[in-house]
Amino acid sequence: MKKLVAYCVLSCAMAVNAQKKPKLVVGIVVDQMRYDYLQRFKDKFGSKGFNKLISEGTLFENGHFNYIPTYTAVGHSSVYTGTTPSDHGIIGNNWYDKELKKSIYVVDDENYKTIGSSSNEGKKSPKRLVASTVSDQLKLAQNFKGKAIGVAIKDRSAILPVGHAADIAYWFDGGNQGKWVSSTYYAKDLPKWVQQYNQENKLVLDEYLNSPWVTQENLAHYHESTLDNKHFEGTFKNEEAPVFPHNLPALKEKNGNYSLLKTTPHGNTMTLDFAKEIIKNEALGKNKEYSDFLAISLSSTDYIGHKYGPASKEIEDTYIRLNEDLDDFVKYLNRKVGNDNYVLFLTADHGVVHVPHHLIENKLPAGYINGKAIYEQLIDFTFKKYNTTKIIENVSNYQVFLNHAEIKTLGLSLEKVQNELVEELIDYPMVYKAVSAKTLQRAEFHKAPLSLLQAGYNQKISGDILITLTPSIISGNAKTSTGTTHGTGYNYDTHIPILFYGAAIAEGKKVKAPVNITQIAPTLSNLLQIQEPTMSSLEILEEVFAKSNN
């Protein structure tokens, strides 16, 4: 009987502990991280960093984005709101505003000013994000107690994750500034400790800029990547070839001075170093009554990936270095916050396609498309068909925006014009699918890519026609283009890691079933015992709650 009582006490204690709210949630989004990097660089990671999170946490091996377009602002918004662009209202980094008749940037807001520097980099806010984020819901649930802070090199990657009610978001002002800045949307001035940190940190940034970027390990041991000198990789201004070492001291003047650090692994290091200072100075995870939220985005992986591509030596070196930084950051969390007091999740905002030239060189299908040529073809088509050049108002982000007023003036049917343009576009080389707004509003698609286009279509702000290209085709010039990009619904852009680690998270569990990125926010809401974000998916990742593999 005593054994039975003892067992009950132990099991009940474990159940209570499993439901204990974490004192701190740390979100890490690695910008442009493909899932296969975990496998390609596994041996280079050793037992630290990524491999430590995998062995001691829960890994979802088949996590995907469930919409098009897979861009940075869209990805961060979807992770933290638990929904897709069709609902949260972020359809790109930039997009054509049908009301303003111009292209807008996702977080620009002239109502606010910069705090922390003399530049205009702080004229930002989250006003275009329609849905709430999980950190917004945490603030609401705690009567706006506890802290919610975002940090990233990119402004959009710092602002959108922590939503509307954040205490503050920080991003990096490069150029001649070299400072972490914010917006008067959050506060009148930077905290004193940040002002001091910016002054003292200049010495560290100068040290980075005044030393060449050399590989962490012997370049000859980088077997997971292609040759160092490839014609399809980008170069810095005044750099002859895309090869190691990259002579930062000689390049800084022509490449934006402190902005140059964004396209080196130092950008990730300085972001995580600043995140440590935030944890320390804001006492995150130390409040006995309330939980805190820290959203970190590591942007340099994206800058480097765009320039050199996923097969490059630069990407391999970046992830080897990031693995060390990540391991150091987790150790810091364990010391400062305590192993049982925080939950950390790690994911990406999108993946990336291999540089098309690299694929072509290895006999794989790929290529380049001229976006301007598509626009000109459509103008020519509408002139011949409707005797006007005013029907096409804008073509951007693989969307066609029509001039509704002109169509009405001509006495044409909007739906018929949309359908006729779809029929025209589908005959263009490298266009795989084209679908009209009216069709997306009326039909319900269940198979990619049309289902992904539908999840990315926002009735209020998206265009009249949405396009997706054939796989491994990107905008550019086949002769002169270097580097690569992302944005599609193909696996290379949608398949990303989803990792949970920390208090009450199952250890050593690998989940093979397919899951969506929009399940992260409701899972965090469940962990925090709060209401889900306003438009969130209600599907949680149940596997993270288990205490064993049984």
Side-chain angles (χ1 to χ4, degrees):
M1 187 67 175
K2 288 182 180 179
K3 288 184 178 180
L4 182 61
V5 172
Y7 174 78
C8 180
V9 171
L10 178 61
S11 61
C12 289
M14 289 176 64
V16 170
N17 184 60
Q19 293 300 312
K20 179 183 174 183
K21 288 174 64 174
K23 303 310 297 178
L24 173 64
V25 171
V26 179
I28 299 179
V29 174
V30 184
D31 202 323
Q32 204 190 106
M33 184 176 181
R34 293 163 54 116
Y35 176 83
D36 63 351
Y37 290 165
L38 289 179
Q39 306 305 320
R40 279 178 57 199
F41 306 135
K42 179 172 62 176
D43 293 341
K44 292 288 197 303
F45 294 154
S47 60
K48 300 190 292 186
F50 289 108
N51 283 344
K52 177 181 174 66
L53 295 181
I54 292 170
S55 64
E56 298 180 12
T58 298
L59 170 66
F60 293 86
E61 297 180 323
N62 202 9
H64 283 263
F65 281 91
N66 51 341
Y67 60 80
I68 297 171
T70 43
Y71 296 137
T72 295
V74 192
H76 284 79
S77 300
S78 300
V79 167
Y80 286 94
T81 63
T83 190
T84 64
S86 61
D87 289 325
H88 62 57
I90 304 300
I91 63 169
N93 298 327
N94 303 78
W95 65 85
Y96 181 73
D97 188 300
K98 293 186 284 190
E99 298 298 321
L100 298 176
K101 304 297 181 185
K102 67 176 184 178
S103 180
I104 54 98
Y105 177 60
V106 60
V107 291
D108 272 353
D109 194 334
E110 289 293 324
N111 293 311
Y112 301 99
K113 297 179 181 179
T114 309
I115 56 173
S117 83
S118 57
S119 75
N120 291 323
E121 291 300 311
K123 293 183 175 182
K124 315 289 177 186
S125 85
K127 71 175 183 180
R128 293 185 176 88
L129 181 65
V130 175
S132 67
T133 66
V134 65
S135 65
D136 282 331
Q137 296 301 134
L138 180 61
K139 296 289 282 190
L140 273 169
Q142 299 180 150
N143 197 25
F144 299 94
K145 305 295 195 302
K147 296 177 180 178
I149 299 174
V151 59
I153 284 177
K154 296 179 182 179
D155 47 26
R156 58 187 180 272
S157 304
I159 293 169
L160 296 171
V162 283
H164 308 83
D167 292 86
I168 199 164
Y170 300 103
W171 50 96
F172 187 67
D173 190 353
N176 295 323
Q177 298 289 334
K179 297 175 180 178
W180 293 98
V181 300
S182 191
S183 165
T184 52
Y185 173 85
Y186 304 101
K188 292 182 179 179
D189 296 294
L190 289 183
K192 296 291 185 185
W193 75 262
V194 178
Q195 295 179 38
Q196 183 177 348
Y197 181 80
N198 274 334
Q199 290 179 350
E200 296 173 352
N201 194 48
K202 278 287 184 68
L203 294 174
V204 176
L205 302 186
D206 288 338
E207 186 176 340
Y208 289 152
L209 272 181
N210 292 322
S211 302
W213 173 13
V214 297
T215 54
Q216 179 81 352
E217 299 179 9
N218 190 325
L219 184 62
H221 296 161
Y222 282 21
H223 302 300
E224 292 76 21
S225 44
T226 190
L227 298 175
D228 193 22
N229 192 2
K230 303 298 290 188
H231 70 91
F232 49 73
E233 295 179 358
T235 57
F236 292 110
K237 292 179 181 177
N238 278 24
E239 187 178 42
E240 292 184 4
V243 297
F244 282 106
H246 295 284
N247 189 356
L248 303 187
L251 297 171
K252 62 184 180 181
E253 185 178 346
K254 295 291 185 180
N255 290 273
N257 292 316
Y258 292 113
S259 294
L260 177 60
L261 295 175
K262 298 177 183 180
T263 316
T264 75
H266 301 312
N268 294 329
T269 305
M270 66 192 201
T271 303
L272 288 172
D273 283 346
F274 185 49
K276 291 177 198 171
E277 293 296 317
I278 294 172
I279 292 167
K280 180 178 74 174
N281 287 279
E282 300 293 345
L284 299 188
K286 295 296 185 181
N287 194 302
K288 293 182 179 180
E289 295 183 64
Y290 306 108
S291 299
D292 299 316
F293 204 106
L294 177 61
I296 304 167
S297 183
L298 302 172
S299 307
S300 290
T301 41
D302 184 70
Y303 289 114
I304 295 165
H306 274 292
K307 184 176 285 289
Y308 301 103
S312 64
K313 301 292 186 192
E314 284 78 6
I315 274 291
E316 182 165 357
D317 189 64
T318 296
Y319 277 89
I320 290 170
R321 289 172 175 274
L322 176 56
N323 191 65
E324 296 287 333
D325 288 340
L326 188 60
D327 192 73
D328 181 65
F329 182 71
V330 170
K331 287 177 180 175
Y332 183 87
L333 281 171
N334 291 339
R335 290 196 309 271
K336 282 289 182 180
V337 183
N339 305 44
D340 297 327
N341 292 323
Y342 73 90
V343 166
L344 179 150
F345 75 90
L346 183 147
T347 189
D349 56 346
H350 53 73
V352 69
V353 66
H354 277 284
V355 179
H357 282 304
H358 174 65
L359 296 174
I360 294 167
E361 192 175 76
N362 289 280
K363 301 180 180 179
L364 289 162
Y368 298 85
I369 192 169
N370 186 331
K372 186 178 179 181
I374 290 180
Y375 173 77
E376 290 173 348
Q377 281 181 273
L378 286 176
I379 292 293
D380 184 60
F381 170 78
T382 55
F383 179 72
K384 291 176 180 177
K385 183 81 176 178
Y386 310 113
N387 197 32
T388 179
T389 59
K390 296 179 181 179
I391 280 181
I392 306 297
E393 192 166 273
N394 180 268
V395 179
S396 56
N397 287 345
Y398 300 107
Q399 297 187 36
V400 180
F401 294 81
L402 301 181
N403 186 330
H404 290 204
E406 178 71 6
I407 291 171
K408 188 175 182 179
T409 298
L410 293 172
L412 299 172
S413 160
L414 175 62
E415 184 173 3
K416 185 178 180 182
V417 172
Q418 287 180 351
N419 289 337
E420 287 173 341
L421 286 169
V422 165
E423 292 302 313
E424 168 70 9
L425 280 162
I426 203 64
D427 287 334
Y428 290 2
M430 302 181 188
V431 172
Y432 182 58
K433 295 284 184 182
V435 61
S436 72
K438 290 292 185 183
T439 299
L440 291 172
Q441 291 167 25
R442 289 175 179 168
E444 186 174 354
F445 296 100
H446 300 282
K447 186 177 179 181
L450 291 179
S451 62
L452 302 182
L453 284 169
Q454 189 162 50
Y457 168 74
N458 186 288
Q459 186 175 357
K460 199 171 184 71
I461 58 178
S462 292
D464 291 273
I465 299 164
L466 277 65
I467 303 165
T468 188
L469 304 177
T470 51
S472 303
I473 302 296
I474 69 172
S475 292
N477 186 300
K479 293 182 179 180
T480 61
S481 289
T482 60
T484 188
T485 193
H486 49 84
T488 75
Y490 298 116
N491 290 332
Y492 50 73
D493 279 340
T494 67
H495 191 189
I496 41 78
I498 300 177
L499 261 168
F500 280 79
Y501 173 88
I505 300 299
E507 294 186 15
K509 175 167 280 190
K510 295 182 179 180
V511 182
K512 297 185 181 300
V515 298
N516 291 326
I517 203 76
T518 49
Q519 292 176 257
I520 290 176
T523 303
L524 293 173
S525 301
N526 195 293
L527 279 164
L528 289 164
Q529 300 168 39
I530 60 173
Q531 183 70 46
E532 305 88 355
T534 48
M535 296 184 178
S536 172
S537 155
L538 300 179
E539 299 177 77
I540 65 172
L541 301 167
E542 296 182 23
E543 294 86 352
V544 305
F545 297 94
K547 295 299 294 180
S548 70
N549 289 321
N550 296 330

